[in-house]
Amino acid sequence: MAKLQSGNGVQRGTVESLAEHESSSLGSDSELNGFTEIQTDKYGFIGGAQQSTGENDNIPPDVLRQREAKWLDMLNSWDKWMLSVSLISLKVKLRCQKGIPPSLRGRAWLYLSGGKVKKEQNQGKFQELDSQPGDPKWLDVIERDLHRQFPFHEMFVARGGHGQQDLFRVLKAYTLHRPEEGYCQAQAPIAAVLLMHMPAEDAFWGLVQICEKYLPGYYSAGLEAIQLDGEILFALLKRVAPVAHRHLKKYKIDPILYMTEWFMCAFSRTLPWASVLRMWDMFFCEGVKIVFRVGLVLLKCMLGSQEKLKACQGQYETMELLRSIEPRYMQEAFLVQEVIELPVSERDIEKEHLFQLRRWKETNGELHCKSPPRMHGAKAIIAAEPPSRQDLKQNPTIIVEVPQTTESKMEKGKKAKSKMQKKTDMKNTSPPLNPYPLPSDPALVSDTLAPSESQHLQGSNQSLSSTENDTYL
Amino acid sequence: MSGGAELGFTEHLFKVLVIGDHKVGKTSFVKRYVKNQFYEELKTTIGVDFSMKVIDWDSHTRVRLQLWDIAGQERLRGLNRVFFKRSSGALVVYDMTNGSTLDGALNWKHELDSQVMLKNGRPIPAVLLANKCDETKVCRRNASLLEKLCQEKGFIGWFQTSAKENINVDEAAKFLVKHILQNNEESVKEEEQNMQINLKQQSKSNSTCC
C-alpha cells in the first residue's frame, strides 16, 4: 500500500467528483472526501472499477525472488533466449504465462516488444521528436484526452501532473513519428499503461511496437483492421462457442458493437488490473492471439449456454450483458488459465484472416489503408530484426548526478577514493534529484512547472511512479 | 419499432443516436438524462456506449429509448455505418464554447442523412444541441443563425443545453421523442393504407377471376 499526498502543489484532479462517480466500487472509503492522504491499491489505483480488491493475488516472497532472479538472468542474455530454436524459448513463454515479476515488468515488456532494440537503434530520436512543437490539429485532441485516461490511477489523477505530462509527450511524439497516422483516441490508454511501468522514452517505443507490429492498422483512418479482426473473432467463436455465435447472429449484433474497446485498448479498460497485467505479459510474448483468446473466453463464459441466454433475448439486452461481465470470469487466475487452454492458434487466426480479407474485398473493395503485416509476438519480432548485443545492453534509466561541489572536490586530486567518496557524499550531503520536483520546491520551480501548468506541458525526463521505485532494475 | 398493444397500451422501442465531435459532452448529456448525474471526469468513449431510458409518455404509451452514445473522434468514425443502422432519431451535440464543433455537428448530420432514412425516404428526426450553455450565452444573432441552420440542414429544432446544470436536457429529448412518435404513427397509417390498397386490389383481381 502506498500513500499519496494530496495538496502538494500540483493541482489534484477533482477527487470528490471522482469519488461520487462509481461510488459503489469505492465502498466506504471516506478518506477520499477531503482528507489529505489517499490509500492506493498496490497498482496505484485510488478507486474505480479496476481497483484491486486484494483478495487473491499474493505470490509468496521467496517464489517472487526466484522468479526475479530467473528473469534477470534471461534479460541479461536475451538474444540467446529469444533466438534459440530449442525448447529454451518455450520457457520464455511459460514464464510470461506465470506472470512477469512486477519489479521487472517494464523492462521485460520493452524487451519482448522489441521496443528496447528500436530505442537503441534510434538513439536521440525520441528527444528530437519531444523537442518539436507538433501539429496543433493533433495536440488539441490529445490535450483534451489527457485527464480522461485512468483518472483513478494516482499517476494520472492530477491535472497537469507528471503522468499527464508524459502521456502528452509520448502521444505527441507518435504523431510526429508517423504524421500520416496521427493520433487515435484508443492509443491513449495503451500509452498510459506503458507509462505506469516505464519512462516516457521507453513507453514511446513500446507504443510504436504495439501500433506497428502487434496491432498494425488498429489506429489508422477507416479502422478497417479492427473491423476485420471483429469478423475473425466472430468466425473463431463459431468453433469455440457455437451457442454464443448463433445468439449473436440471431440478434444481428455486429462484432464492432462489443469488441472495439476490448481490442483497441487491449482490454486495459475492461479487466480488473491484476488481469490486465497478466494478459499484457502474455500479449507481449505471444501477440494478438492472446487478445483474441481473452475475447473468446469472455464471450463463451457470458453467452455460452442456453440457460445464460434466457436472460438476454434481444440486441440491447445482450449488449448490456457483455458490458457488465461477471467478475468471476475476469478474475486473474480463472481468466489466465482459460486463455492458456483455449485452442486457438496463430495459424487459425492467419487462416481466418485470409478468408475474411477476401470476403471484405468482395463487399468493400480494396483496403484503403495498407498496414504492415502483423507480427505474432516477441519471437517473430526479434527474428525479423535481429539485434546486436549492444542493442540489448541494459543502461541505467535513472542517473543520479553528483552535486557540483563534490565534483570539483574530486577534481582537486581525490580521484583515488572516488568510488567510496561518491557513495558517502550522496548519502550524507545531498539527496538524489527528484525527477518530479514539486512546484513548491523553491530550487526547482523555475525550470519545471510553469505556474499555469496545464497550458504549457513540458514533461520531465524520467517517469517514475512513486509506488514502483523498483520497476526499472 | 413498436411493441404489442394490450388493452390499448402500447410500448415503443426507439434507438436514438447521440453524435457530435469529441469532448462536446455527449456522454455527460446521456448520463444526466438517464441517471440525472453529472461527472467532471469521464473516460473517452471508444466505440459505443449504451443506455436505456424508459418514459411513461402518457397513460397508454410507454417509450423505451435506447441511447447510442458514439465515439466522437474523427478517426473512430469508420465504424459509424454499423452504429447508425435502424436508428429512429438523433441528438447532434456541439460545444458552444468551441465554434468548430458546430461545423462538426453539421458534418455529422450530413453523414447521418447519407446513411439512414425513414421508410418513406425522409431523413430521421434530428435535434441540434448547443451544449455547455452554462459556460456561455447565445446572443440573439446566434439564435437566428441556429434557426436558419436548422432549416437549411433539416434539423427539427435546436436547444441550448447544459448537462452540468441540467438545463433543457429532458426538454430536448422529449421534443425528439414527440417527433419520433409522430413519424411512427404516420408510417403505421401509411402501412395500413398500403395494406388496404393491396386488399382492394386483391379483392378486385379475385372478383375478376371468379
Side-chain angles (χ1 to χ4, degrees), chain A residues 157-391:
Chain A
V157 77
R159 284 245 189 173
H162 67 78
Q164 294 191 10
Q165 290 176 43
D166 281 349
L167 186 58
F168 176 80
R169 296 169 64 209
V170 169
L171 296 171
K172 185 199 81 179
Y174 190 83
T175 64
L176 287 159
H177 177 62
R178 293 276 178 246
E180 72 285 1
E181 292 274 313
Y183 166 67
C184 172
Q185 283 187 312
Q187 286 171 314
I190 298 277
V193 177
L194 292 170
L195 278 170
M196 290 176 199
H197 296 89
M198 56 188 86
E201 182 180 7
D202 294 1
F204 167 73
W205 290 111
L207 179 68
V208 168
Q209 292 300 89
I210 289 180
C211 298
E212 293 173 8
K213 300 287 197 303
Y214 287 81
L215 308 172
Y218 267 31
Y219 311 105
S220 311
L223 304 183
E224 289 163 326
I226 193 81
Q227 296 180 65
L228 260 177
D229 275 3
E231 297 302 329
I232 297 170
L233 177 76
F234 192 55
L236 293 171
L237 185 68
K238 191 172 185 178
R239 189 162 53 98
V240 172
V243 177
H245 181 269
R246 248 196 324 274
H247 181 81
L248 291 169
K249 198 167 181 178
K250 179 177 169 191
Y251 291 106
K252 298 196 176 74
I253 302 174
D254 194 291
I256 284 303
L257 299 182
Y258 51 86
M259 57 76 75
T260 309
E261 186 183 79
W262 289 358
F263 275 52
M264 288 186 92
C265 305
F267 288 98
S268 63
R269 306 209 316 182
T270 310
L271 304 175
W273 205 250
S275 305
V276 171
L277 297 177
R278 294 289 300 278
M279 199 228 110
W280 278 47
D281 289 347
M282 295 189 284
F283 168 63
F284 275 118
C285 183
E286 300 178 59
V288 77
K289 171 174 83 183
I290 298 298
V291 180
F292 276 99
R293 287 191 190 173
V294 175
L296 290 167
V297 167
L298 296 183
L299 288 168
K300 187 178 96 177
C301 289
M302 293 303 288
L303 307 172
S305 70
Q306 292 298 349
E307 190 121 341
K308 284 170 181 159
L309 298 179
K310 272 184 201 152
C312 59
Q313 294 298 317
Q315 189 189 57
Y316 184 82
E317 289 75 7
T318 308
M319 296 304 312
E320 270 292 285
L321 197 72
L322 290 178
R323 285 201 320 147
S324 46
I325 291 166
E326 282 177 54
R328 63 185 164 129
Y329 298 134
M330 301 191 288
Q331 190 264 333
E332 183 187 350
F334 174 84
L335 185 63
V336 168
Q337 198 52 37
E338 289 286 313
V339 165
I340 290 172
E341 284 172 5
L342 196 77
V344 169
S345 67
E346 234 167 83
R347 234 227 207 114
D348 296 330
I349 293 171
E350 278 307 313
K351 215 172 106 192
E352 202 54 58
H353 184 103
L354 286 178
F355 180 71
Q356 294 299 338
L357 189 63
R358 208 175 327 131
R359 260 190 55 185
W360 177 278
K361 285 180 180 170
E362 277 166 18
T363 42
N364 304 300
E366 280 295 316
L367 292 179
H368 293 287
C369 199
K370 292 263 185 297
S371 313
R374 177 144 63 193
M375 300 255 179
H376 288 274
K379 222 169 141 48
I381 292 172
I382 204 168
E385 294 165 358
S388 70
R389 290 242 70 183
Q390 191 59 32
D391 295 336

Side-chain angles (χ1 to χ4, degrees), chain A residues 20-132:
Chain A
E20 215 171 274
H21 180 207
E22 294 194 48
S23 53
S24 57
S25 56
L26 283 166
S28 60
D29 201 354
S30 58
E31 280 174 313
L32 278 174
N33 292 316
F35 286 77
T36 50
E37 284 183 352
I38 295 167
Q39 291 284 335
T40 69
D41 69 3
K42 67 178 185 179
Y43 307 110
F45 282 90
I46 57 166
Q50 288 182 302
Q51 193 182 30
S52 161
T53 50
E55 280 164 3
N56 41 45
D57 44 358
N58 285 327
I59 302 166
D62 51 326
V63 175
L64 199 58
R65 291 290 97 83
Q66 267 175 25
R67 286 188 186 168
E68 280 170 348
K70 286 179 186 171
W71 269 95
L72 273 175
D73 174 54
M74 209 155 68
L75 288 165
N76 287 336
S77 43
W78 190 246
D79 47 349
K80 257 191 262 156
W81 283 83
M82 293 305 290
L83 292 169
S84 91
V85 275
S86 68
L87 287 173
I88 295 179
S89 65
L90 188 70
K91 230 173 189 174
V92 182
K93 186 170 109 178
L94 290 174
R95 286 179 182 172
C96 288
Q97 291 179 346
K98 281 185 179 172
I100 301 170
S103 60
L104 289 161
R105 186 166 266 136
R107 192 177 156 200
W109 283 0
L110 197 65
Y111 274 64
L112 286 162
S113 67
K116 166 72 178 161
V117 176
K118 268 274 155 66
K119 176 181 141 186
E120 295 304 330
Q121 290 177 349
N122 296 279
Q123 276 186 25
K125 176 82 178 172
F126 177 73
Q127 288 73 14
E128 182 199 316
L129 299 172
D130 197 26
S131 65
Q132 290 174 30

Side-chain angles (χ1 to χ4, degrees), chain B residues 10 13 29 40 43 55 79 110 154:
Chain B
T10 337
L13 178 67
F29 183 91
E40 289 285 347
K43 54 183 188 179
I55 312 163
L79 313 175
H110 183 75

Side-chain angles (χ1 to χ4, degrees), chain B residues 4-162:
Chain B
E6 205 179 301
L7 296 171
F9 187 84
T10 337
E11 196 167 288
H12 299 279
L13 178 67
F14 298 127
K15 169 177 167 181
V16 168
L17 303 169
V18 184
I19 51 182
D21 282 358
H22 77 281
K23 199 87 200 330
V24 295
K26 297 179 293 295
T27 306
S28 293
F29 183 91
V30 171
K31 299 258 183 223
R32 170 63 80 188
Y33 181 53
V34 175
K35 296 186 175 172
N36 197 18
Q37 275 174 340
F38 181 77
Y39 310 105
E40 289 285 347
E41 317 278 335
L42 284 168
K43 54 183 188 179
T44 47
T45 308
I46 310 273
V48 56
D49 270 341
F50 307 87
S51 309
M52 174 84 83
K53 172 95 172 178
V54 181
I55 312 163
D56 286 321
W57 190 256
D58 54 38
S59 57
H60 51 272
T61 319
R62 176 173 290 166
V63 175
R64 302 171 82 85
L65 217 55
Q66 262 181 26
L67 295 148
W68 288 48
D69 172 13
I70 289 168
Q73 199 203 351
E74 190 161 6
R75 177 59 51 87
L76 299 169
R77 290 190 199 170
L79 313 175
N80 286 352
R81 149 191 80 79
V82 179
F83 299 150
F84 285 8
K85 272 182 201 163
R86 290 187 288 279
S87 46
S88 316
L91 297 163
V92 187
V93 190
Y94 84 95
D95 173 359
M96 285 177 71
T97 65
N98 180 356
S100 71
T101 60
L102 178 57
D103 297 330
L106 302 182
N107 287 336
W108 278 93
K109 174 74 165 87
H110 183 75
E111 193 181 342
L112 180 73
D113 290 343
S114 67
Q115 304 219 16
V116 236
M117 57 179 83
L118 297 173
K119 274 184 195 149
N120 57 21
R122 284 205 306 263
I124 65 165
V127 179
L128 180 65
L129 303 184
N131 197 30
K132 306 194 188 177
C133 75
D134 53 290
E135 292 180 34
T136 178
K137 282 245 147 57
V138 177
C139 59
R140 201 167 284 165
R141 206 179 61 107
N142 276 347
S144 62
L145 178 81
L146 284 172
E147 201 64 53
K148 204 170 134 234
L149 266 183
C150 279
Q151 279 173 9
E152 274 172 18
K153 307 290 176 186
F155 288 99
I156 56 169
W158 68 278
F159 285 82
Q160 319 183 36
T161 57
S162 163

